[in-house]
Each structure stands twice: as structure tokens, then as C-alpha cells.
Amino acid sequence: MALLTHLLACVFGTGSWVAINGLWVELPLLVTVLPEQWDLPSYITIIIQMANVGPLFVTLMHRFRPGLLKEVAVIYVIVSTGVLACLLLAFLWSYTSPIAGVPHSTAFLVLTFFLSLVDCTSSVTFLPFMMQLQPQYLTTFFIGEGLSGLIPALIALGQGSGISRCVNDSRVVNITSGNETTEGSVFQMETRYLPANFSTLLFFLLMTVMMAACLVAFFFLSRQPKVWELSQQQLFPSSVILSSFDQVPEEGAGSGGRGGCPCPDTRQPGEAGPEKVSYSLAKLAFIYFLITWVSSLTNGVLPSVQSYSCLPYGNTAYHLSATLSSMANPLACIIAMFLPGRSLALLGALAVAGTAFGAYNMAIAVMSPCPLLQQSQWGDAVIVLSWVLFTGTLSYVKVMAGVILRSRSHSALVWYGAMEQLGSLLGAVLMFPLVNVYGFFQSADYCSLQCPA
């Protein structure tokens, strides 16, 4: 029975951010079809930030109308919404409609908002629910939350989405010379996209299955004796979120999504919990600055320009960057679990290193469509490696910052979440006009580029 509960907790955790993580790894294929093209990542980034109205609404309701929202009912609603949105996305993702005379993928963007609403709201509902189960199941839930990024990345790797090759296409054209018109052949390199191993329809259906599995797992978890007993009483009181944070320093805390991962419990079995650590105001300010800075880079600034930094090297480089960097996030969580580093000097150094990788990615995006080492395999390898190291190092910094604050107090973790969302919002708001309004970044067809040697 305990093993089954662990399995249910893991499957329940995979539904926390699987939909949005699935969108990110499918982008190499989507940008070749949808009218937004290379601007699509910036649209997704700003939509995710807009979806924070979900957790804000839940928090305000618990503050001003305690007891009105019932925990189990809220989770049923948001997970069911996620299942329906994924299912509709599978069939409607390619539909477009004109807005101000310009075609836009309205169905995709609207459904992306609902998926973001589901995943963002899960951050303030799934964890309080798990606090009603035995403590050992919380770690399993966090493992599932990490898999919500890993599984879609593995599926996208198997799909081979967005991979292309350049072909020499000859066309017959009329050439006028004086009074004579003759036919001639013109040779031009064109991009031919290789068919994916399976369609986007099937990919989103697989995401639907994962969301449905999350719903089924929650159904059985909510039937656990302790949870069922609580569900018959006044559910989701105003103190449930704060009381859950009170327990977090003992068991763990986390935040899902792109650029975030669960804060692991770094204790060995049977080891006593960490004592509360006292930090000076300057050190606390430094920790919160790191969280804000790292979140702005990983959740707002760099995701908006990933297409511009990778596509000049070809769709294969973009495909590998999107999928492998998504894998780097849960890998960083695992490393932090076994090799924790609480030194602020170490975290500062890693933040500088991650920022350097991000600066390289940004510089390549600015140089688009003719970046450094474009026609070299070294250029492909460096940009993929830079994205993986950027995501991995900064994810480790966020995890360890959460571990440090977890040993302080629950209010410190509340401020952790606030600074994380603030950084993400600032990054997205900064980049959206640069990408979509002022056209600061330029796109081009990889195969037909005429770049200086």
C-alpha cells in the first residue's frame, strides 16, 4: 500500500508543470509552422507571467475569504482544465486567425494561457494538499515534479522535432537580355524539414495522457484515509498554505516550471533537521538578489530569445538546446541533493558563471542571423553546451538558495517565491517589447543565409 501511494504521489507530481515544459521542448517544431515563428518563445514567456493571476487569486481568496475555496475541489478543477486544454491543443494548435490584418496562432496562444494558469496555480495547491499525507510521500512528489520536465524532453528527443537539412533547389526562370528572353536555371539553397518520427498531434495527446494520469492519481490520493477524513470537514482553511510552509523547513519545498525545480531534502535518512541559521541583513539581501536575478534570466530574459540564439545554427542545434537544457534542470536538482553547497561565495560564483553563459547566448541572439562560428560544427556544439550549462548552473543556485532559506523560516520561503515571481515578471516584461515591438532581433532562413566569411 505504501509503494502504491509513493507511485501515486510521483504521478501526481508530474502533472504540476508537464504541460508548459512540453510546450518548450516542442518549440523547435512549432516555430517552423506557426506565424509568430522565431517570436513565439517571447509570446509564451509573457503568457506564463500573465497566468500568475491564478495563484494570486487563490492567495487573495484565502486571505480575505478563508474557507470559501476547498482544496480538493480547486485541484480537481485545475487538473481537469489542464486535461481539456491539452486535448484541445492537440487538435487546434495550428489554427490561425487574423488580428489587425496579421495572422496569429490564436488557438495556440489562448490554450497556452490556460495551461499556464493550471501549472502556475498548481504551485499553491499541490503542495498544501501533499502536506495532508505522510511526510515520506513529499519527497516522491518532488521527484515527480522533476520528471515533469524530463519526460517531455525525452519524448521530444524521440520525436526529432524540427530537424531540417539544406537542399539545392533548381528553378527555371525567364532571363531577359536586350530584346531576347530565354529560359535559364537558378540554383538556390532551401530548408527542407525532415518529417518527425511522430506528429505534434500525438505529442500533445501524450501530454494529455500525462495530465489525465495526474488526475487519476489525485483521485486515489484524495481517497487516502487521512485526506478523506479532512475532506469531510471544512477544507482549505486560510492557514493551510502558511501551515504547509511551517512544515516545509522539515521536509522540503519547491517550485516547478522552466528554470525551477524542487528544493531537495539534503539530509541523510535518520539525520536531524537543519537548525535555523541566522544571516545578516546584507547576506539575506544578497540571497534574495540572487533569486531575483537568476529567475529573471531563466524564466524571462533568455527563453524569449532562445530561437534567435540557436536557429542560426540550424534546427538540429535548436532541438538539442531545447531538450537537453530541459534535462539539465532536474539533473541540477539531483546534484544539489547529493552535493549541496551552502557557501554564499560558491553560489555567487556559480551565478556569475551562469550569467556568463547567458550573456554568450544573448550575444549570439543579437548577432542573429550571422553569429560566430555559424558554418562550423564547433558553433553548434558551443551553443548547445552553453544553453545546458546556463540552465544547469543557475538551477543549482536557485535550489541551494531555497535550501538555505528553508533552514531559516517559513516566511523566508514565502519571500523566496515572491522574489522568484518578481524576477520572472521583470525579465518577461523587459524582453517582450524588444522582441515583438521594436524588432531588436532578426530572423532568417538558415540555408539561404548570405553571411560574410
Side-chain angles (χ1 to χ4, degrees), residues 351-365:
V352 171
T355 302
F357 291 122
Y360 177 81
N361 298 338
M362 178 61 71
I364 294 299

Side-chain angles (χ1 to χ4, degrees), residues 392-433:
T393 53
L394 295 189
S395 295
Y396 182 90
V397 172
K398 289 179 65 176
V399 171
M400 292 314 304
V403 170
I404 291 173
L405 295 176
R406 181 181 64 185
S407 64
R408 180 175 171 81
S409 66
H410 78 267
S411 62
L413 283 174
V414 174
W415 281 106
Y416 174 99
M419 293 299 101
E420 184 180 34
Q421 292 303 321
L422 176 63
S424 303
L425 178 62
L426 291 177
V429 170
L430 171 65
M431 294 306 298
F432 188 81

